[in-house]
Amino acid sequence: AANTLNQSFTKMKQIQGNSKPMSVFIQQLKSNDPSLITLILDGRKSVSSDEWTDLFDALEGNAHLTHLSLVNCGLTDETTVPLVLALVENETLISLDLSKNRDLTNGTGKSLHKVLKQSNPVLKKVNMDGTAISSKTSAKIMDVLADRDDTLKLAKVQAARQKKIKDLLAFSASDDVSPASQRLSQRLLELDRDSDDNMVDTPKSVKSGSTSSSGGKIKKAKRTKGKNKQRSSVESKDSSVSSHGSSKNSNGSGGRRKPPPPSGSSTTTGVGASANPKRAARRSQAARNMAMTGTTGNVEEIRQLRKVRGECEDCGQKCYQKTLFKTVPLNVPNKVHEGRCLL
């Protein structure tokens, strides 16, 4: 970068000489002469500090000068104070060469860094080679200027984008699940495929190779048929008891009618849904898992799947909207606040 800056200033010197007196340039800057775009004052060590002050004061309000070269001019920290102050208001100067001014120290460097960082967004190139400004201060100035170079800025944006893509691909490729040490993406695909084959009311233990989805349906149909048969037999008994009692009353035998069994008695609960409360609770939980995640996997698999989808690991509420490059927290009234589940 320094070599390119030196070459550009060398080309400028070939275009414009430096034989004119300082008063001419000061007047051109004060009058805002549009023809004065590049000013080369290299090697002018005999210029007084007052002339430098007048030149820098005129630079403050100038709207046309874009390049200023002050190589080997014997500048000091004291003489460059008006220059640093002029850069606070100047809006056109984009290149400044202060190289080979050996008396410039960190005092000028730190002041220049502060102005560039807080007040001057225009200056893009500064050459400080051959000065007493430390490499640390020079690096800070170059970091500020690097964000103003369109080429470097584009390269930085592209590098950041590539890093995000690389991190995303590295996550999906390295996040394995135990016990099979398979990648998360493969595991999710397997869970999706398994959810299509498994039913919600899968038994606790199944011998490998001895069951199928059709066998489960047949068993379920048999259980339903048996329940219906028992229910019809109970109803027929109730009707026969009722008819027998009514016949006794009609014959005047004085027999008392047997009251019908109360609701919720053992004759009905034996075949109801609450006959096995533990099994009913397991089915209810499996149904909720299926509804929220589309799979009947174990608790750890479900929590991991919800985390990948941006959902609450406990209840499955959507908390984040995930895109290719970022994760956006959601806000749902009475449910989610800034990506945090309230349920």
Side-chain angles (χ1 to χ4, degrees), residues 164-181:
K164 287 183 178 180
I165 296 175
K166 185 177 180 180
D167 292 342
L168 184 62
L169 295 177
F171 169 79
S172 61
S174 63
D175 192 357
D176 297 341
V177 292
S178 58
S181 297

Side-chain angles (χ1 to χ4, degrees), residues 6 20-21 29 37 42 70 73 86-87 89 107 141 179 196 200 208 293 306 333 335:
N6 291 332
K20 295 181 182 180
L29 289 174
I37 299 176
D42 297 351
L70 304 173
C73 289
L87 294 177
E89 299 295 334
I141 294 175
D196 295 335
V200 176
S208 60
T293 64
R306 286 174 174 171
K335 293 184 178 180

Side-chain angles (χ1 to χ4, degrees), residues 2 8 12 42 45 84 96 99 120 123 132 138 199 251-252 274 278 280 292 302:
S8 62
M12 295 174 194
D42 297 351
K45 296 183 178 180
V84 176
L96 176 62
S99 60
N120 186 308
L123 192 60
S138 299
M199 298 179 63
N251 294 330
S274 60
K278 292 184 178 181
M292 296 302 298
I302 292 171

Side-chain angles (χ1 to χ4, degrees), residues 36-296:
L36 185 62
I37 299 176
T38 301
L39 180 57
I40 309 295
L41 300 175
D42 297 351
R44 295 204 177 195
K45 296 183 178 180
S46 60
V47 177
S48 65
S49 60
D50 292 337
E51 287 179 313
W52 285 124
T53 301
D54 292 340
L55 181 74
F56 297 148
D57 289 343
L59 174 65
E60 182 176 357
N62 187 271
H64 296 285
L65 188 69
T66 59
H67 298 80
L68 176 61
S69 179
L70 304 173
V71 178
N72 195 23
C73 289
L75 297 177
T76 63
D77 290 338
E78 183 178 355
T79 56
T80 54
V81 169
L83 173 61
V84 176
L85 294 176
L87 294 177
V88 175
E89 299 295 334
N90 185 273
E91 298 179 353
T92 57
L93 191 68
I94 60 175
S95 294
L96 176 62
D97 194 345
L98 298 174
S99 60
K100 297 183 181 180
N101 289 284
R102 303 185 183 279
D103 293 330
L104 292 181
T105 66
N106 275 342
T108 299
K110 292 179 179 179
S111 300
L112 185 60
H113 173 258
K114 185 175 182 180
V115 169
L116 292 174
K117 189 175 182 180
Q118 298 180 359
S119 304
N120 186 308
V122 180
L123 192 60
K124 296 183 178 181
K125 297 179 180 179
V126 178
N127 189 359
M128 297 168 288
D129 295 341
T131 66
I133 299 175
S134 66
S135 58
K136 182 178 180 180
T137 304
S138 299
K140 291 181 178 179
I141 294 175
M142 292 303 153
D143 287 341
V144 176
L145 298 178
D147 293 334
R148 304 180 184 184
D149 191 316
D150 295 337
T151 303
L152 294 177
K153 189 184 296 184
L154 180 60
K156 188 177 291 187
V157 171
Q158 291 177 345
R161 183 179 301 170
Q162 291 295 329
K163 185 178 183 301
K164 287 183 178 180
I165 296 175
K166 185 177 180 180
D167 292 342
L168 184 62
L169 295 177
F171 169 79
S172 61
S174 63
D175 192 357
D176 297 341
V177 292
S178 58
S181 297
Q182 297 173 330
R183 291 186 302 178
L184 178 61
S185 56
Q186 283 183 328
R187 187 57 179 160
L188 293 177
L189 291 176
E190 291 177 0
L191 291 175
D192 290 338
R193 289 195 297 266
D194 293 342
S195 64
D196 295 335
D197 298 333
N198 294 334
M199 298 179 63
V200 176
D201 57 347
T202 304
K204 287 184 178 180
S205 60
V206 181
K207 295 181 180 180
S208 60
S210 63
T211 60
S212 62
S213 59
S214 59
K217 292 181 179 179
I218 294 173
K219 290 183 178 181
K220 185 176 180 181
K222 288 182 178 180
R223 288 197 299 270
T224 305
K225 184 176 180 180
K227 291 177 182 179
N228 293 335
K229 186 175 182 179
Q230 293 179 7
R231 188 179 294 109
S232 61
S233 63
V234 171
E235 291 176 354
S236 62
K237 286 182 179 180
D238 292 340
S239 60
S240 63
V241 170
S242 176
S243 60
H244 182 68
S246 60
S247 63
K248 284 186 177 182
N249 291 333
S250 61
N251 294 330
S253 60
R256 182 173 298 178
R257 180 181 178 183
K258 186 178 179 180
S263 60
S265 63
S266 60
T267 56
T268 57
T269 57
V271 295
S274 60
N276 192 340
K278 292 184 178 181
R279 183 166 185 172
R282 288 197 302 272
R283 292 183 179 180
S284 177
Q285 182 62 39
R288 285 196 296 271
N289 292 340
M290 175 65 78
M292 296 302 298
T293 64
T295 178
T296 58

